[in-house]
Amino acid sequence: MASVHESLYFNPMMTNGVVHANIFGIKDWVTPYKISVLVLLHEMSTTKPMALLDRRRLNKLILPLQQGPDLTLEQFLKIVEECCLRMVNAVKHRLFLMADGELQDMEHFFTILPSAFSDSEAFKTSVVGLFMRQMLLAYNKLSFSQVYKLYKSLQQYCHRGSQPELSALPAEDMELTSNEDPSADHIDKDELDTVSLHQSELRSDESRGPLSQKQAEYFLARQAYLLKNDENKAMSPAKLQDELNNILKFNPDFAEAHYLSYLNSIRVQDIYISTHSLLHYFDRLILSGGEGKSNGEEGYGRSLRYAVLNLATLHCRFGHYQQADLALQEAIRIAQEANDHVCLQHCLSWLYTLEQMKGSDSVVLTEDSVKIAAHFCLPYLASLGIQSLVQQGAKQGMPANKLLDALRGTDIMHWKQSLSELIEISLAQTTSIWRMYGKSTMARQQAQLLLNMNSLEPVNFSVQQNNTEAFAVALCHLAELHAEQGLYAVVSDIMKHLKQQFPPHTQHAKLWMLCDLKIQFEKAMNDGKYHMAEPHVTAISALDSTEGLYRKAELLKALNQATEASQILQQLQQQCEKSKNIEMSIRVMLASAELHWDSAGFATALPLLLQALALSRQHNLQSLTSETLLHLAFTQLMLGIPEQALVLVQDVLESVLAHGSLMDKGRALLLAARCQMALAGAAAQEHRLTGLEQAVHTLDEAAVYFSQLDCKERIRDIHYLQARLHHTLGNISQRNKCSMLFRLLDLELPSSGMTVVNHL
């Protein structure tokens, strides 16, 4: 969020012929709550013997109490009690002594207040001293009637225990108690009625009255920081918008409030209010006194350039690519006229980002952006450009060593410049790259490194910086990796944390929603519960149309609806070729090959499998390479070449066992056992028993993996094969046991119409 102005001037506004004064012309005024804070400061200075830990807690509490909104007496005492029980009793005693006494008791307190700090140098220079002198000055300006009203408000504040009279004095008293020039314009009667009405509405809604300038600045800065670093600790979108509307009601020219309204509207994807607030922010910024120049690095021209650029980014966020392109071109034109290289570089960065969103090739634009950013010493933009190049290079099949070397070079710069946000992005990107390459162990290590990294930025407001997109990506990867290993209890815990950290209305919630749906879909498919997988397909399609089509084809294939599945796969293949989505294209080829097994024969699947193998090796996709080789091995087995099939399985078995999912491990071992069975059947008598015993051992290992996934269909197939093997080997008891287990599962599961396993 833009920095809050140091001073907001008293600018009268004309509305319908009525002059409304800016409430923020008033710096501060005396309220019962402020008196409570003064009492706390006075007791802290006069109470000498105090535990060091208690004093430290109270010292940390002072600044938030001064800058924050007014609290009720009950809330105030509760906060102080958490720091020091002894102090809360002293403060309460002093307050009720004034409230239950006479007016001269309050007057006496303000008289003795400076004496407690007169010998301290801090009274002249510290924030506490400034606050106390402001309150004393405001109190000394009060007339007798105003002092009497303040005293009555203090009595109500102490005895009622309800919402504080934040602006206990009438609006005219606010003006008189302000620290502004006495010659400043006074609030007229119409404004007084508006203020009093506004205050009554706020009290009925458990909200606050008109904030002083410092309170408003503190409120906006705090909420903006929370929105950036931990949205869950910020106010809810509806409540925050109400507070902003209250602030803007008294000062429509408060630019920072408009900007926070823009950030708040983005949270709920409200295009109308976000655009409206963004335009108002720059309108107010341009018209304010600090932006009076019409050219150069500051002033009207600069605000106008960045206003158009921010409008372009807003349209990019909502997918309005044509409007975003037009806004970017306008921002580039204005920046070129002003010779603003920094703004031009930001425009270029968003230009290649926009091209990526459209699905176009933006490598040349990205390379130009990196070169220019390095020339003008803009490390942040240069690093983002390199990250984008690495992402595009990974999709285009660049060697892994070059990509990781580029990331390592940027990481060195990030640590030197203490760019923690870019460090997080780099670690999340490295996690994704390792995952894409099929190195699950390395991906898990990088994700854990990110989650356990301490932030380099100063963390305020008890915020831990863990609600960024990088953390969401890392947690989603961890959830999928745990799901692949059958650890669904851990997945549930991760998803619970993601839902708490990224509520559904936040911008990154789509990541965990899609991740959760894919995990649920895979689990239902593994369990053979296709009726439960069907609703997930519809939900996945709403979040990602490509993934939705692929999952729909998988479901139709499992339901033996080959014609419909083939049509969807052909449509999906065309989309992948157009968008150059190599990973999905390979998966579509593998699914199409499986359809060929059932319809056209195993030999017709070989061209597709060889094409998928070439693409996966070209793009360093080890996981897909292993899966493709397993498909090829199964095809060769069905074509009567078990020797070659077993060689292929053994080549990829080490990689699958090291980095594959439980399903991949089980399928690879099951395929290896079937190859061993086929070879043993054709072997000589002396080698046949050894081969069959080896196949039994391999099936036992595969059964362990399928049992962890509770994949009953696969376990049923294994029991069938084990029963046949034990019958051949003469193990009658083992044969009967496996036959009984097979029979129980066969009765429980729907019949597939075949007992011999003819699928991978």
Side-chain angles (χ1 to χ4, degrees):
M1 181 181 166
S3 59
V4 179
H5 290 298
E6 293 182 359
S7 60
L8 293 170
Y9 300 99
F10 189 88
N11 298 321
M13 298 170 292
M14 182 68 69
T15 305
N16 297 327
V18 180
V19 177
H20 295 276
N22 186 343
I23 195 70
F24 288 149
I26 303 171
K27 289 286 186 181
D28 219 338
W29 52 83
V30 184
T31 65
Y33 168 74
K34 299 287 178 58
I35 295 177
S36 303
V37 177
L38 291 174
V39 169
L40 174 62
L41 294 173
H42 181 269
E43 294 297 330
M44 286 177 60
S45 63
T46 55
T47 306
K48 298 300 180 183
M50 187 186 301
L52 181 62
L53 184 59
D54 291 344
R55 184 171 292 277
R56 185 177 300 168
R57 290 173 182 167
L58 290 171
N59 288 339
K60 291 174 64 177
L61 183 65
I62 290 173
L63 191 58
L65 289 178
Q66 289 181 211
Q67 295 178 332
D70 287 15
L71 305 173
T72 64
L73 180 61
E74 182 181 356
Q75 293 171 333
F76 173 74
L77 294 177
K78 183 178 180 181
I79 293 175
V80 177
E81 184 179 4
E82 292 174 356
C83 298
C84 180
L85 180 60
R86 176 185 174 188
M87 185 58 63
V88 75
N89 293 328
V91 171
K92 190 174 182 180
H93 176 73
R94 170 73 71 171
L95 281 174
F96 278 92
L97 191 64
M98 285 190 287
D100 295 337
E102 298 179 355
L103 179 59
Q104 62 181 8
D105 295 321
M106 186 181 73
E107 182 72 24
H108 176 69
F109 171 73
F110 278 95
T111 303
I112 65 171
L113 184 61
S115 61
F117 301 89
S118 58
D119 298 334
S120 174
E121 185 66 25
F123 182 65
K124 301 177 182 178
T125 59
S126 69
V127 177
V128 173
L130 180 62
F131 170 74
M132 296 183 69
R133 285 186 284 122
Q134 284 179 338
M135 291 297 101
L136 287 171
L137 182 60
Y139 181 79
N140 291 332
K141 286 185 176 181
L142 296 177
S143 64
F144 179 78
S145 61
Q146 292 167 346
V147 172
Y148 181 75
K149 291 177 182 177
L150 176 62
Y151 177 68
K152 287 296 183 182
S153 298
L154 179 63
Q155 288 182 323
Q156 295 177 6
Y157 179 78
C158 291
H159 293 295
R160 190 165 56 185
S162 62
Q163 285 299 112
E165 298 287 338
L166 180 74
S167 202
L169 300 177
E172 68 270 18
D173 295 341
M174 293 182 198
E175 178 64 26
L176 290 173
T177 59
S178 77
N179 292 332
E180 298 299 305
D181 187 357
S183 62
D185 295 339
H186 292 274
I187 302 177
D188 60 12
K189 186 176 184 300
D190 292 335
E191 180 65 7
L192 300 184
D193 296 337
T194 303
V195 172
S196 59
L197 175 63
H198 180 68
Q199 290 170 355
S200 63
E201 292 172 350
L202 289 172
R203 294 182 198 116
S204 64
D205 193 27
E206 294 186 357
S207 187
R208 295 176 296 276
L211 303 179
S212 66
Q213 173 189 335
K214 292 182 179 180
Q215 288 177 324
E217 290 174 354
Y218 178 76
F219 172 78
L220 295 177
R222 184 176 191 275
Q223 292 300 317
Y225 186 90
L226 291 173
L227 286 181
K228 178 179 181 292
N229 294 293
D230 194 348
E231 192 172 325
N232 291 332
K233 290 186 173 64
M235 299 174 68
S236 65
K239 189 174 181 181
L240 178 57
Q241 193 61 44
D242 289 340
E243 294 292 337
L244 293 173
N245 291 339
N246 289 336
I247 292 175
L248 291 172
K249 181 177 182 179
F250 289 93
N251 186 12
D253 287 337
F254 198 14
E256 284 71 18
H258 285 289
Y259 190 79
L260 187 58
S261 176
Y262 157 70
L263 295 179
N264 188 48
S265 302
I266 286 180
R267 297 167 69 189
V268 293
Q269 306 296 312
D270 191 328
I271 178 64
Y272 174 75
I273 297 182
S274 56
T275 306
H276 177 81
S277 300
L278 181 64
L279 295 177
H280 272 285
Y281 167 70
F282 282 101
D283 287 345
R284 267 57 180 187
L285 204 62
I286 290 171
L287 295 175
S288 64
E291 300 282 352
K293 302 177 185 178
S294 60
N295 52 29
E297 290 298 317
E298 302 294 336
Y300 173 85
R302 184 175 185 274
S303 295
L304 187 59
R305 293 192 294 275
Y306 283 98
V308 180
L309 179 58
N310 275 271
L311 188 61
T313 63
L314 180 63
H315 285 302
C316 279
R317 185 188 188 96
F318 286 100
H320 306 157
Y321 299 140
Q322 184 177 2
Q323 294 92 324
D325 189 46
L326 292 173
L328 269 178
Q329 297 300 331
E330 178 68 12
I332 291 171
R333 184 188 64 80
I334 300 174
Q336 286 176 337
E337 291 177 356
N339 200 25
D340 188 347
H341 299 291
V342 177
C343 184
L344 281 172
Q345 185 55 36
H346 281 282
C347 293
L348 183 56
S349 299
W350 274 103
L351 195 59
Y352 74 69
T353 303
L354 181 60
E355 292 299 319
Q356 290 179 15
M357 291 179 175
K358 292 179 181 178
S360 305
D361 188 6
S362 61
V363 174
V364 177
L365 278 174
T366 310
E367 290 176 348
D368 292 341
S369 174
V370 173
K371 292 176 184 177
I372 299 173
H375 175 73
F376 288 105
C377 298
L378 300 172
Y380 192 94
L381 294 178
S383 176
L384 285 179
I386 294 174
Q387 299 275 3
S388 180
L389 285 173
V390 168
Q391 185 177 5
Q392 295 176 67
K395 293 179 179 178
Q396 295 173 2
M398 286 185 64
N401 59 333
K402 290 186 177 181
L403 298 179
L404 295 175
D405 283 344
L407 286 176
R408 183 179 60 187
T410 57
D411 286 342
I412 294 173
M413 180 180 67
H414 298 160
W415 288 106
K416 286 183 178 179
Q417 302 285 340
S418 297
L419 301 173
S420 63
E421 184 178 358
L422 293 181
I423 294 172
E424 296 169 4
I425 294 174
S426 178
L427 287 172
Q429 181 131 291
T430 308
T431 303
S432 301
I433 289 176
W434 282 122
R435 182 86 193 288
M436 185 183 70
Y437 287 157
K439 304 289 187 179
S440 60
T441 305
M442 293 300 299
R444 194 178 301 112
Q445 181 193 56
Q446 292 295 311
Q448 293 288 355
L449 183 62
L450 171 59
L451 295 176
N452 289 280
M453 187 187 73
N454 293 325
S455 173
L456 298 179
E457 295 184 5
V459 180
N460 301 321
F461 309 120
S462 300
V463 168
Q464 300 298 326
Q465 292 177 298
N466 57 357
N467 73 329
T468 58
E469 184 180 12
F471 279 94
V473 169
L475 286 168
C476 287
H477 280 309
L478 281 179
E480 291 179 348
L481 289 170
H482 282 87
E484 290 176 357
Q485 303 306 318
L487 304 174
Y488 291 109
V490 179
V491 173
S492 178
D493 291 338
I494 295 175
M495 283 298 161
K496 183 179 179 181
H497 175 73
L498 278 166
K499 292 174 183 178
Q500 292 176 349
Q501 198 63 35
F502 302 92
H505 66 269
T506 58
Q507 57 176 322
H508 304 313
K510 180 181 176 180
L511 296 172
W512 65 258
M513 289 179 180
L514 183 59
C515 174
D516 188 27
L517 288 171
K518 289 195 292 186
I519 291 174
Q520 296 298 327
F521 175 83
E522 292 294 341
K523 188 174 186 300
M525 293 293 288
N526 291 340
D527 295 342
K529 300 176 181 178
Y530 304 130
H531 64 285
M532 296 179 62
E534 189 171 359
H536 297 314
V537 172
T538 306
I540 291 173
S541 300
L543 296 172
D544 190 328
S545 59
T546 304
E547 281 286 345
L549 279 176
Y550 176 70
R551 306 290 168 170
K552 185 176 182 180
E554 286 282 305
L555 180 60
L556 292 173
K557 182 164 62 69
L559 294 172
N560 295 322
Q561 300 179 20
T563 305
E564 294 85 349
S566 179
Q567 293 175 354
I568 292 176
L569 288 174
Q570 290 176 6
Q571 176 187 353
L572 188 56
Q573 185 67 34
Q574 294 174 356
Q575 291 183 7
C576 293
E577 291 175 357
K578 184 178 180 181
S579 61
K580 297 180 180 179
N581 189 344
I582 302 299
E583 190 174 357
M584 181 57 71
S585 180
I586 295 173
R587 295 187 183 279
V588 171
M589 291 178 187
L590 296 179
S592 301
E594 292 175 3
L595 288 178
H596 282 288
W597 292 345
D598 296 331
S599 57
F602 290 94
T604 58
L606 286 175
L608 277 174
L609 293 176
L610 292 174
Q611 185 182 358
L613 180 62
L615 280 174
S616 60
R617 283 178 170 171
Q618 178 186 348
H619 290 80
N620 307 299
L621 305 176
Q622 180 179 310
S623 177
L624 288 176
T625 300
S626 300
E627 190 173 349
T628 306
L629 287 173
L630 289 176
H631 279 70
L632 277 171
F634 180 75
T635 305
Q636 289 178 333
L637 175 64
M638 293 294 103
L639 291 174
I641 320 174
E643 299 90 348
Q644 294 296 326
L646 185 58
V647 170
L648 285 178
V649 173
Q650 290 174 345
D651 287 343
V652 301
L653 194 57
E654 181 180 353
S655 173
V656 170
L657 293 178
H659 301 287
S661 64
L662 288 180
M663 178 61 72
D664 293 336
K665 295 174 185 178
R667 290 194 304 174
L669 289 170
L670 177 57
L671 181 57
R674 296 185 62 192
C675 292
Q676 292 166 355
M677 291 170 60
L679 288 174
Q685 185 64 31
E686 59 271 15
H687 299 295
R688 186 181 182 188
L689 294 178
T690 304
L692 293 177
E693 290 175 354
Q694 189 177 7
V696 171
H697 177 69
T698 307
L699 285 174
D700 290 339
E701 291 184 14
V704 172
Y705 293 119
F706 289 134
S707 298
Q708 293 178 12
L709 278 176
D710 195 25
C711 189
K712 295 181 180 179
E713 285 190 349
R714 301 282 182 171
I715 297 174
R716 177 182 62 180
D717 296 338
I718 287 179
H719 288 325
Y720 173 78
L721 294 175
Q722 285 176 330
R724 295 289 300 269
L725 288 173
H726 285 302
H727 177 74
T728 305
L729 292 170
N731 301 330
I732 305 301
S733 61
Q734 292 294 327
R735 180 202 65 183
N736 293 339
K737 177 182 177 181
C738 293
S739 299
M740 181 191 67
L741 293 173
F742 166 77
R743 182 61 177 165
L744 291 175
L745 288 174
D746 193 51
L747 291 173
E748 179 182 349
L749 298 174
S751 175
S752 61
M754 58 189 75
T755 56
V756 180
V757 182
N758 64 348
H759 289 280
L760 176 60

